[in-house]
Amino acid sequence: MSVRAFAAHLGVAVSSVTNWEHSGEGIRLRDETQEILDRDLSRASDDVRERFEAMLAGPVAGVIAAGASDGARRLEYAMAHPSRADLITVSYLREQLADLDAAYDREPSAALLGPTAERHGQIAFLRLHASNGRVQHELLGAFAESGILMGQLVWDASLRRDHASSLSYFAAAADAATECGDRILNARAQLRSSLVALYGQQDPVTGLEMAAQAAATSHTASNALTGLALLHVAEAHAMRQHARSCEDALHAADTHIGKVNGSDGAALLLAPFDVSRMAGSCYLHLNDAPKAALLLAETLQYAGQTKAAAVAAANLALSFTRQHKIDEAVGSLHRAIDIVDATRGGGGLTVAFTAGRALNPWRHDPAVQLAQDRLLALMAT
């Protein structure tokens, strides 16, 4: 509660509560004041008393005891009394979303859809009923975050086919981000929309427009996000065979990414290998297979077993195939299949099938047959 609300709740003067806070642990209360507080604690719910006792045990014990379980209890209470949702409840929901978002690159999207949809629905419900203005503002940001993640998951789980649902989530997220004045969330939603245009609808013109808009939105808010957006601007130019514009955008992206520091609100969105990964994809579009292969091989030294690594490995297989290096192409395709089998990433699977089809002229080679059979088996599971 606020100081004023707590004073009204106890039936004492606001100045009394202010004095208690200022005095800290050294305060000595009058007997009648202590009696009021004791009586209020005795009437409190079990979970309030448990938290109170845990905090008396010390700051660390209090945090441990009151952590996730307290957040879950607060959320349950807020869902039953939505007008009384508070900032701590919103913070708990955003922490849950952050955990789900962190799992995105390594976990199957279908497995994350259920819990993310639940959080998205809870946030949407509380957003409609919360009475506190600051809570409503924070819920707008949380709604934008959950909408962006929902759009990612729906698109990935549908193997990048359900464009309409994903774009609907991204548009609603952008609207919420605009309403609460969060340029980073707005740019993230715009950038995600550009990916659907580029890789789903195969529309580099719209993709270029959306990626450029994301870069402009985030320009003074985050070097990391501006750099990421410019990497996709570069790929859109590469898809249109505009080599000079592509390389200019790659250079601009590298400049922004070089300025990223710990205070950047979107720094965690940027992986160390993003520049080489995206540059490799650009040069593959520009039909410079040797240069693409060098960049993609560098990417795979750091990318681990992520969905982005699956795309890079499949693109590397394409680069080797175009150079008629079939053994290397098959090896890279097997790596892409291994990662897709673990993560079920729609992007990795789509590019892996493209790489598999590119090997058709060598389909009578037993090694190529084995890789193509693995792709078919992957699709069937």
Side-chain angles (χ1 to χ4, degrees), residues 273 276-277 280 289-303 312-313 315-317 319-320 332 335:
F273 52 81
S276 61
R277 176 176 65 86
K291 192 166 187 176
L294 285 172
L295 289 160
L296 293 166
E298 177 187 335
T299 298
L300 289 170
Q301 292 178 24
Y302 308 101
N315 274 333
L316 181 57
S319 300
F320 283 137
S332 192
R335 178 168 180 177

Side-chain angles (χ1 to χ4, degrees), residues 184-207:
I184 289 180
L185 284 173
N186 196 359
R188 284 180 60 192
Q190 293 166 348
L191 182 56
R192 281 290 163 185
S193 296
S194 80
L195 304 191
V196 175
L198 288 172
Y199 309 131
Q201 298 167 325
Q202 299 297 310
D203 180 357
V205 175
T206 302

Side-chain angles (χ1 to χ4, degrees), residues 47-66:
D47 67 304
V48 170
R49 288 200 299 273
E50 286 172 9
R51 277 190 287 124
F52 182 80
E53 290 163 5
M55 289 176 183
L56 286 180
V60 175
V63 168
I64 292 172

Side-chain angles (χ1 to χ4, degrees), residues 104-358:
Y104 168 77
D105 210 27
R106 289 179 169 80
E107 299 291 334
S109 293
L112 300 174
L113 258 175
T116 304
E118 182 181 12
R119 295 299 180 226
H120 185 63
Q122 289 166 335
I123 292 166
F125 175 73
L126 293 176
R127 178 188 166 193
L128 289 175
H129 297 93
S131 57
N132 182 289
R134 189 174 172 197
V135 172
Q136 287 180 329
H137 181 272
E138 291 300 313
L139 282 166
L140 277 171
F143 183 80
E145 287 177 351
S146 61
I148 292 168
L149 184 54
M150 279 298 298
Q152 287 178 237
L153 293 171
V154 167
W155 195 48
D156 193 53
S158 69
L159 302 182
R160 296 187 170 186
R161 293 172 183 163
D162 190 351
H163 310 322
S165 296
S166 300
L167 290 172
S168 176
Y169 279 116
F170 296 144
D175 288 344
T178 300
E179 190 175 344
C180 71
D182 193 317
R183 284 179 296 156
I184 289 180
L185 284 173
N186 196 359
R188 284 180 60 192
Q190 293 166 348
L191 182 56
R192 281 290 163 185
S193 296
S194 80
L195 304 191
V196 175
L198 288 172
Y199 309 131
Q201 298 167 325
Q202 299 297 310
D203 180 357
V205 175
T206 302
L208 173 60
E209 179 182 330
M210 293 300 299
Q213 186 177 353
T217 301
S218 62
H219 182 69
T220 58
S222 166
N223 278 304
L225 193 49
T226 303
L228 274 176
L230 287 171
L231 288 174
H232 289 91
V233 167
E235 185 159 30
H237 283 306
M239 292 170 75
R240 301 181 69 195
Q241 300 301 302
H242 295 168
R244 178 64 182 271
S245 297
C246 170
E247 291 186 328
D248 287 347
L250 286 173
H251 177 72
D254 198 39
T255 299
H256 278 281
I257 290 169
K259 296 177 182 177
V260 174
N261 55 42
S263 65
D264 193 316
L268 291 177
L269 298 175
L270 191 65
F273 52 81
D274 278 335
V275 173
S276 61
R277 176 176 65 86
M278 293 297 297
S281 182
C282 287
Y283 284 109
L284 189 60
H285 285 298
L286 293 171
N287 298 312
D288 189 342
K291 192 166 187 176
L294 285 172
L295 289 160
L296 293 166
E298 177 187 335
T299 298
L300 289 170
Q301 292 178 24
Y302 308 101
Q305 296 289 107
T306 62
K307 290 175 182 175
V311 174
N315 274 333
L316 181 57
L318 275 170
S319 300
F320 283 137
T321 300
R322 291 179 185 179
Q323 298 176 73
H324 292 191
K325 296 180 177 180
I326 304 309
D327 289 341
E328 292 90 336
V330 169
S332 192
L333 182 55
H334 277 298
R335 178 168 180 177
I337 293 170
D338 289 341
I339 300 172
V340 172
D341 193 30
T343 64
R344 313 305 296 182
L349 185 59
T350 300
V351 182
F353 264 92
T354 301
R357 285 194 299 271

Side-chain angles (χ1 to χ4, degrees), residues 50-120:
E50 286 172 9
R51 277 190 287 124
F52 182 80
E53 290 163 5
M55 289 176 183
L56 286 180
V60 175
V63 168
I64 292 172
S69 59
D70 178 45
R73 283 195 297 264
R74 280 177 174 271
L75 177 59
E76 184 179 0
Y77 178 82
M79 294 303 293
H81 309 88
S83 66
R84 300 188 67 180
D86 60 16
L87 293 173
I88 298 176
T89 303
V90 182
S91 178
Y92 170 73
L93 283 165
R94 295 183 95 157
E95 287 170 5
Q96 296 288 299
L97 285 173
D99 289 342
L100 290 164
D101 196 19
Y104 168 77
D105 210 27
R106 289 179 169 80
E107 299 291 334
S109 293
L112 300 174
L113 258 175
T116 304
E118 182 181 12
R119 295 299 180 226
H120 185 63

